[in-house]
Every structure is written in structure tokens, then in C-alpha cells.
PDB file of all heavy atoms in Angstrom:
ATOM      1  N   GLY A   1      15.424 -31.975 -10.079  1.00 66.00           N
ATOM      2  CA  GLY A   1      14.737 -33.135  -9.523  1.00 66.00           C
ATOM      3  C   GLY A   1      15.248 -33.602  -8.177  1.00 66.00           C
ATOM      4  O   GLY A   1      14.789 -34.620  -7.664  1.00 66.00           O
ATOM      5  N   ILE A   2      16.214 -32.871  -7.577  1.00 69.00           N
ATOM      6  CA  ILE A   2      16.773 -33.344  -6.308  1.00 69.00           C
ATOM      7  C   ILE A   2      16.804 -32.301  -5.191  1.00 69.00           C
ATOM      8  O   ILE A   2      16.691 -32.645  -4.026  1.00 69.00           O
ATOM      9  CB  ILE A   2      18.197 -33.919  -6.494  1.00 69.00           C
ATOM     10  CG1 ILE A   2      19.089 -32.928  -7.226  1.00 69.00           C
ATOM     11  CG2 ILE A   2      18.172 -35.248  -7.187  1.00 69.00           C
ATOM     12  CD1 ILE A   2      20.540 -33.314  -7.291  1.00 69.00           C
ATOM     13  N   ILE A   3      16.967 -31.020  -5.524  1.00 76.00           N
ATOM     14  CA  ILE A   3      17.098 -29.985  -4.496  1.00 76.00           C
ATOM     15  C   ILE A   3      15.766 -29.258  -4.331  1.00 76.00           C
ATOM     16  O   ILE A   3      15.264 -28.657  -5.281  1.00 76.00           O
ATOM     17  CB  ILE A   3      18.204 -28.971  -4.862  1.00 76.00           C
ATOM     18  CG1 ILE A   3      19.539 -29.699  -5.045  1.00 76.00           C
ATOM     19  CG2 ILE A   3      18.318 -27.886  -3.790  1.00 76.00           C
ATOM     20  CD1 ILE A   3      20.621 -28.837  -5.644  1.00 76.00           C
ATOM     21  N   ASP A   4      15.202 -29.335  -3.121  1.00 80.00           N
ATOM     22  CA  ASP A   4      13.922 -28.683  -2.859  1.00 80.00           C
ATOM     23  C   ASP A   4      14.024 -27.176  -3.071  1.00 80.00           C
ATOM     24  O   ASP A   4      15.073 -26.577  -2.854  1.00 80.00           O
ATOM     25  CB  ASP A   4      13.453 -28.965  -1.426  1.00 80.00           C
ATOM     26  CG  ASP A   4      12.985 -30.397  -1.255  1.00 80.00           C
ATOM     27  OD1 ASP A   4      12.462 -30.978  -2.212  1.00 80.00           O
ATOM     28  OD2 ASP A   4      13.135 -30.934  -0.143  1.00 80.00           O
ATOM     29  N   GLY A   5      12.905 -26.586  -3.476  1.00 82.00           N
ATOM     30  CA  GLY A   5      12.852 -25.155  -3.741  1.00 82.00           C
ATOM     31  C   GLY A   5      12.800 -24.307  -2.479  1.00 82.00           C
ATOM     32  O   GLY A   5      12.710 -24.819  -1.355  1.00 82.00           O
ATOM     33  N   ARG A   6      12.854 -22.994  -2.712  1.00 90.00           N
ATOM     34  CA  ARG A   6      12.840 -22.005  -1.634  1.00 90.00           C
ATOM     35  C   ARG A   6      11.775 -20.970  -1.998  1.00 90.00           C
ATOM     36  O   ARG A   6      11.972 -20.177  -2.910  1.00 90.00           O
ATOM     37  CB  ARG A   6      14.213 -21.353  -1.516  1.00 90.00           C
ATOM     38  CG  ARG A   6      14.335 -20.350  -0.393  1.00 90.00           C
ATOM     39  CD  ARG A   6      15.689 -19.658  -0.384  1.00 90.00           C
ATOM     40  NE  ARG A   6      16.828 -20.543  -0.548  1.00 90.00           N
ATOM     41  CZ  ARG A   6      17.383 -21.279   0.418  1.00 90.00           C
ATOM     42  NH1 ARG A   6      16.896 -21.234   1.645  1.00 90.00           N
ATOM     43  NH2 ARG A   6      18.431 -22.036   0.182  1.00 90.00           N
ATOM     44  N   ILE A   7      10.648 -21.009  -1.302  1.00 92.00           N
ATOM     45  CA  ILE A   7       9.542 -20.083  -1.566  1.00 92.00           C
ATOM     46  C   ILE A   7       8.979 -19.608  -0.235  1.00 92.00           C
ATOM     47  O   ILE A   7       8.826 -20.398   0.698  1.00 92.00           O
ATOM     48  CB  ILE A   7       8.414 -20.731  -2.401  1.00 92.00           C
ATOM     49  CG1 ILE A   7       8.953 -21.190  -3.765  1.00 92.00           C
ATOM     50  CG2 ILE A   7       7.249 -19.762  -2.593  1.00 92.00           C
ATOM     51  CD1 ILE A   7       7.928 -21.890  -4.633  1.00 92.00           C
ATOM     52  N   THR A   8       8.651 -18.327  -0.159  1.00 95.00           N
ATOM     53  CA  THR A   8       8.044 -17.748   1.038  1.00 95.00           C
ATOM     54  C   THR A   8       6.661 -17.210   0.699  1.00 95.00           C
ATOM     55  O   THR A   8       6.496 -16.527  -0.315  1.00 95.00           O
ATOM     56  CB  THR A   8       8.927 -16.619   1.604  1.00 95.00           C
ATOM     57  OG1 THR A   8      10.194 -17.173   1.972  1.00 95.00           O
ATOM     58  CG2 THR A   8       8.287 -15.967   2.818  1.00 95.00           C
ATOM     59  N   TYR A   9       5.695 -17.532   1.558  1.00 96.00           N
ATOM     60  CA  TYR A   9       4.325 -17.040   1.448  1.00 96.00           C
ATOM     61  C   TYR A   9       4.004 -16.195   2.666  1.00 96.00           C
ATOM     62  O   TYR A   9       4.364 -16.565   3.787  1.00 96.00           O
ATOM     63  CB  TYR A   9       3.326 -18.212   1.418  1.00 96.00           C
ATOM     64  CG  TYR A   9       3.337 -18.992   0.130  1.00 96.00           C
ATOM     65  CD1 TYR A   9       4.237 -20.022  -0.074  1.00 96.00           C
ATOM     66  CD2 TYR A   9       2.438 -18.686  -0.882  1.00 96.00           C
ATOM     67  CE1 TYR A   9       4.257 -20.734  -1.259  1.00 96.00           C
ATOM     68  CE2 TYR A   9       2.443 -19.394  -2.069  1.00 96.00           C
ATOM     69  CZ  TYR A   9       3.354 -20.414  -2.248  1.00 96.00           C
ATOM     70  OH  TYR A   9       3.365 -21.109  -3.432  1.00 96.00           O
ATOM     71  N   VAL A  10       3.307 -15.088   2.459  1.00 96.00           N
ATOM     72  CA  VAL A  10       2.752 -14.316   3.567  1.00 96.00           C
ATOM     73  C   VAL A  10       1.248 -14.527   3.485  1.00 96.00           C
ATOM     74  O   VAL A  10       0.623 -14.240   2.454  1.00 96.00           O
ATOM     75  CB  VAL A  10       3.108 -12.818   3.480  1.00 96.00           C
ATOM     76  CG1 VAL A  10       2.439 -12.056   4.619  1.00 96.00           C
ATOM     77  CG2 VAL A  10       4.617 -12.625   3.513  1.00 96.00           C
ATOM     78  N   ILE A  11       0.668 -15.046   4.579  1.00 97.00           N
ATOM     79  CA  ILE A  11      -0.743 -15.431   4.618  1.00 97.00           C
ATOM     80  C   ILE A  11      -1.425 -14.614   5.711  1.00 97.00           C
ATOM     81  O   ILE A  11      -0.988 -14.615   6.867  1.00 97.00           O
ATOM     82  CB  ILE A  11      -0.882 -16.939   4.894  1.00 97.00           C
ATOM     83  CG1 ILE A  11      -0.108 -17.720   3.822  1.00 97.00           C
ATOM     84  CG2 ILE A  11      -2.349 -17.347   4.940  1.00 97.00           C
ATOM     85  CD1 ILE A  11       0.150 -19.165   4.171  1.00 97.00           C
ATOM     86  N   ASP A  12      -2.501 -13.921   5.331  1.00 96.00           N
ATOM     87  CA  ASP A  12      -3.172 -13.049   6.296  1.00 96.00           C
ATOM     88  C   ASP A  12      -4.098 -13.822   7.227  1.00 96.00           C
ATOM     89  O   ASP A  12      -4.225 -15.045   7.128  1.00 96.00           O
ATOM     90  CB  ASP A  12      -3.872 -11.881   5.587  1.00 96.00           C
ATOM     91  CG  ASP A  12      -5.123 -12.271   4.811  1.00 96.00           C
ATOM     92  OD1 ASP A  12      -5.682 -13.382   5.002  1.00 96.00           O
ATOM     93  OD2 ASP A  12      -5.566 -11.435   3.996  1.00 96.00           O
ATOM     94  N   THR A  13      -4.774 -13.114   8.115  1.00 94.00           N
ATOM     95  CA  THR A  13      -5.608 -13.740   9.143  1.00 94.00           C
ATOM     96  C   THR A  13      -6.897 -14.336   8.601  1.00 94.00           C
ATOM     97  O   THR A  13      -7.622 -14.991   9.344  1.00 94.00           O
ATOM     98  CB  THR A  13      -5.947 -12.726  10.252  1.00 94.00           C
ATOM     99  OG1 THR A  13      -6.598 -11.604   9.673  1.00 94.00           O
ATOM    100  CG2 THR A  13      -4.688 -12.289  10.985  1.00 94.00           C
ATOM    101  N   ARG A  14      -7.165 -14.135   7.336  1.00 94.00           N
ATOM    102  CA  ARG A  14      -8.311 -14.784   6.691  1.00 94.00           C
ATOM    103  C   ARG A  14      -7.873 -16.009   5.889  1.00 94.00           C
ATOM    104  O   ARG A  14      -8.681 -16.663   5.263  1.00 94.00           O
ATOM    105  CB  ARG A  14      -9.055 -13.806   5.788  1.00 94.00           C
ATOM    106  CG  ARG A  14      -9.689 -12.647   6.565  1.00 94.00           C
ATOM    107  CD  ARG A  14     -10.344 -11.618   5.653  1.00 94.00           C
ATOM    108  NE  ARG A  14      -9.338 -11.024   4.778  1.00 94.00           N
ATOM    109  CZ  ARG A  14      -9.428 -10.950   3.440  1.00 94.00           C
ATOM    110  NH1 ARG A  14     -10.488 -11.402   2.827  1.00 94.00           N
ATOM    111  NH2 ARG A  14      -8.461 -10.392   2.730  1.00 94.00           N
ATOM    112  N   GLY A  15      -6.555 -16.292   5.920  1.00 95.00           N
ATOM    113  CA  GLY A  15      -6.029 -17.435   5.176  1.00 95.00           C
ATOM    114  C   GLY A  15      -5.750 -17.130   3.721  1.00 95.00           C
ATOM    115  O   GLY A  15      -5.557 -18.040   2.918  1.00 95.00           O
ATOM    116  N   ILE A  16      -5.681 -15.840   3.384  1.00 95.00           N
ATOM    117  CA  ILE A  16      -5.462 -15.419   2.000  1.00 95.00           C
ATOM    118  C   ILE A  16      -3.981 -15.111   1.787  1.00 95.00           C
ATOM    119  O   ILE A  16      -3.357 -14.429   2.601  1.00 95.00           O
ATOM    120  CB  ILE A  16      -6.307 -14.167   1.658  1.00 95.00           C
ATOM    121  CG1 ILE A  16      -7.801 -14.447   1.915  1.00 95.00           C
ATOM    122  CG2 ILE A  16      -6.065 -13.701   0.228  1.00 95.00           C
ATOM    123  CD1 ILE A  16      -8.390 -15.583   1.087  1.00 95.00           C
ATOM    124  N   VAL A  17      -3.449 -15.605   0.688  1.00 96.00           N
ATOM    125  CA  VAL A  17      -2.052 -15.331   0.339  1.00 96.00           C
ATOM    126  C   VAL A  17      -1.937 -13.867  -0.053  1.00 96.00           C
ATOM    127  O   VAL A  17      -2.631 -13.396  -0.949  1.00 96.00           O
ATOM    128  CB  VAL A  17      -1.588 -16.235  -0.834  1.00 96.00           C
ATOM    129  CG1 VAL A  17      -0.185 -15.846  -1.290  1.00 96.00           C
ATOM    130  CG2 VAL A  17      -1.639 -17.701  -0.431  1.00 96.00           C
ATOM    131  N   ARG A  18      -1.061 -13.161   0.630  1.00 95.00           N
ATOM    132  CA  ARG A  18      -0.842 -11.743   0.361  1.00 95.00           C
ATOM    133  C   ARG A  18       0.439 -11.483  -0.427  1.00 95.00           C
ATOM    134  O   ARG A  18       0.607 -10.432  -1.027  1.00 95.00           O
ATOM    135  CB  ARG A  18      -0.787 -10.957   1.671  1.00 95.00           C
ATOM    136  CG  ARG A  18      -2.078 -10.991   2.467  1.00 95.00           C
ATOM    137  CD  ARG A  18      -3.209 -10.248   1.765  1.00 95.00           C
ATOM    138  NE  ARG A  18      -2.918  -8.850   1.595  1.00 95.00           N
ATOM    139  CZ  ARG A  18      -3.250  -7.889   2.434  1.00 95.00           C
ATOM    140  NH1 ARG A  18      -3.923  -8.171   3.516  1.00 95.00           N
ATOM    141  NH2 ARG A  18      -2.918  -6.642   2.187  1.00 95.00           N
ATOM    142  N   HIS A  19       1.368 -12.453  -0.398  1.00 94.00           N
ATOM    143  CA  HIS A  19       2.644 -12.265  -1.096  1.00 94.00           C
ATOM    144  C   HIS A  19       3.312 -13.619  -1.297  1.00 94.00           C
ATOM    145  O   HIS A  19       3.206 -14.503  -0.440  1.00 94.00           O
ATOM    146  CB  HIS A  19       3.570 -11.369  -0.269  1.00 94.00           C
ATOM    147  CG  HIS A  19       4.856 -11.024  -0.937  1.00 94.00           C
ATOM    148  ND1 HIS A  19       4.940 -10.155  -1.993  1.00 94.00           N
ATOM    149  CD2 HIS A  19       6.126 -11.445  -0.707  1.00 94.00           C
ATOM    150  CE1 HIS A  19       6.200 -10.028  -2.371  1.00 94.00           C
ATOM    151  NE2 HIS A  19       6.942 -10.807  -1.607  1.00 94.00           N
ATOM    152  N   VAL A  20       3.973 -13.760  -2.451  1.00 93.00           N
ATOM    153  CA  VAL A  20       4.759 -14.959  -2.738  1.00 93.00           C
ATOM    154  C   VAL A  20       6.108 -14.492  -3.262  1.00 93.00           C
ATOM    155  O   VAL A  20       6.174 -13.630  -4.144  1.00 93.00           O
ATOM    156  CB  VAL A  20       4.082 -15.838  -3.819  1.00 93.00           C
ATOM    157  CG1 VAL A  20       4.924 -17.084  -4.106  1.00 93.00           C
ATOM    158  CG2 VAL A  20       2.663 -16.212  -3.430  1.00 93.00           C
ATOM    159  N   PHE A  21       7.176 -15.062  -2.713  1.00 87.00           N
ATOM    160  CA  PHE A  21       8.511 -14.745  -3.205  1.00 87.00           C
ATOM    161  C   PHE A  21       9.281 -16.048  -3.375  1.00 87.00           C
ATOM    162  O   PHE A  21       9.364 -16.856  -2.457  1.00 87.00           O
ATOM    163  CB  PHE A  21       9.262 -13.827  -2.242  1.00 87.00           C
ATOM    164  CG  PHE A  21      10.631 -13.464  -2.742  1.00 87.00           C
ATOM    165  CD1 PHE A  21      10.788 -12.607  -3.823  1.00 87.00           C
ATOM    166  CD2 PHE A  21      11.760 -13.994  -2.154  1.00 87.00           C
ATOM    167  CE1 PHE A  21      12.051 -12.278  -4.307  1.00 87.00           C
ATOM    168  CE2 PHE A  21      13.032 -13.674  -2.623  1.00 87.00           C
ATOM    169  CZ  PHE A  21      13.168 -12.816  -3.699  1.00 87.00           C
ATOM    170  N   SER A  22       9.811 -16.245  -4.574  1.00 81.00           N
ATOM    171  CA  SER A  22      10.562 -17.458  -4.885  1.00 81.00           C
ATOM    172  C   SER A  22      11.942 -17.090  -5.401  1.00 81.00           C
ATOM    173  O   SER A  22      12.056 -16.388  -6.412  1.00 81.00           O
ATOM    174  CB  SER A  22       9.811 -18.271  -5.945  1.00 81.00           C
ATOM    175  OG  SER A  22      10.558 -19.408  -6.322  1.00 81.00           O
ATOM    176  N   SER A  23      12.960 -17.546  -4.715  1.00 76.00           N
ATOM    177  CA  SER A  23      14.337 -17.340  -5.163  1.00 76.00           C
ATOM    178  C   SER A  23      15.241 -18.328  -4.448  1.00 76.00           C
ATOM    179  O   SER A  23      15.342 -18.294  -3.230  1.00 76.00           O
ATOM    180  CB  SER A  23      14.825 -15.922  -4.894  1.00 76.00           C
ATOM    181  OG  SER A  23      16.203 -15.820  -5.225  1.00 76.00           O
ATOM    182  N   ARG A  24      15.870 -19.197  -5.205  1.00 71.00           N
ATOM    183  CA  ARG A  24      16.822 -20.135  -4.616  1.00 71.00           C
ATOM    184  C   ARG A  24      18.140 -19.450  -4.274  1.00 71.00           C
ATOM    185  O   ARG A  24      18.864 -19.886  -3.403  1.00 71.00           O
ATOM    186  CB  ARG A  24      17.082 -21.285  -5.592  1.00 71.00           C
ATOM    187  CG  ARG A  24      15.943 -22.259  -5.682  1.00 71.00           C
ATOM    188  CD  ARG A  24      16.301 -23.412  -6.596  1.00 71.00           C
ATOM    189  NE  ARG A  24      15.315 -24.464  -6.537  1.00 71.00           N
ATOM    190  CZ  ARG A  24      14.262 -24.531  -7.341  1.00 71.00           C
ATOM    191  NH1 ARG A  24      14.058 -23.615  -8.241  1.00 71.00           N
ATOM    192  NH2 ARG A  24      13.413 -25.533  -7.233  1.00 71.00           N
ATOM    193  N   LEU A  25      18.451 -18.379  -4.994  1.00 72.00           N
ATOM    194  CA  LEU A  25      19.773 -17.770  -4.879  1.00 72.00           C
ATOM    195  C   LEU A  25      19.843 -16.541  -3.980  1.00 72.00           C
ATOM    196  O   LEU A  25      20.932 -16.038  -3.730  1.00 72.00           O
ATOM    197  CB  LEU A  25      20.297 -17.424  -6.277  1.00 72.00           C
ATOM    198  CG  LEU A  25      20.399 -18.610  -7.242  1.00 72.00           C
ATOM    199  CD1 LEU A  25      20.859 -18.149  -8.604  1.00 72.00           C
ATOM    200  CD2 LEU A  25      21.318 -19.683  -6.677  1.00 72.00           C
ATOM    201  N   GLN A  26      18.701 -16.041  -3.517  1.00 76.00           N
ATOM    202  CA  GLN A  26      18.684 -14.869  -2.644  1.00 76.00           C
ATOM    203  C   GLN A  26      17.930 -15.194  -1.353  1.00 76.00           C
ATOM    204  O   GLN A  26      16.874 -14.635  -1.085  1.00 76.00           O
ATOM    205  CB  GLN A  26      18.031 -13.690  -3.361  1.00 76.00           C
ATOM    206  CG  GLN A  26      18.767 -13.264  -4.614  1.00 76.00           C
ATOM    207  CD  GLN A  26      18.055 -12.123  -5.330  1.00 76.00           C
ATOM    208  OE1 GLN A  26      16.861 -11.911  -5.166  1.00 76.00           O
ATOM    209  NE2 GLN A  26      18.807 -11.393  -6.114  1.00 76.00           N
ATOM    210  N   PRO A  27      18.507 -16.066  -0.529  1.00 73.00           N
ATOM    211  CA  PRO A  27      17.762 -16.514   0.652  1.00 73.00           C
ATOM    212  C   PRO A  27      17.408 -15.414   1.648  1.00 73.00           C
ATOM    213  O   PRO A  27      16.330 -15.440   2.240  1.00 73.00           O
ATOM    214  CB  PRO A  27      18.678 -17.566   1.282  1.00 73.00           C
ATOM    215  CG  PRO A  27      20.023 -17.307   0.724  1.00 73.00           C
ATOM    216  CD  PRO A  27      19.815 -16.689  -0.625  1.00 73.00           C
TER     217      PRO A  27
END
């Protein structure tokens, strides 16, 4: 409830999500 998450999105030129990666411990 206090530390913000760490997530990366790759979004293509049409605005579509192509990849999501979530890891707090492997920046």
C-alpha cells in the first residue's frame, strides 16, 4: 500500500500494447 509498482509497456504505432513486463525486483 505504499511503494509504487514497476511495470513496462511496449506500445506500437497504432496504440496497441505489444508487451507488458512487471517485476519490482529485476529493474
Side-chain angles (χ1 to χ4, degrees):
I2 52 172
I3 302 170
D4 288 328
R6 182 184 314 279
I7 300 178
T8 298
Y9 288 85
V10 177
I11 303 164
D12 72 15
T13 57
R14 296 176 298 127
I16 303 299
V17 174
R18 297 293 298 268
H19 185 72
V20 180
F21 181 71
S22 176
S23 174
R24 286 184 171 91
L25 302 177
Q26 298 178 338

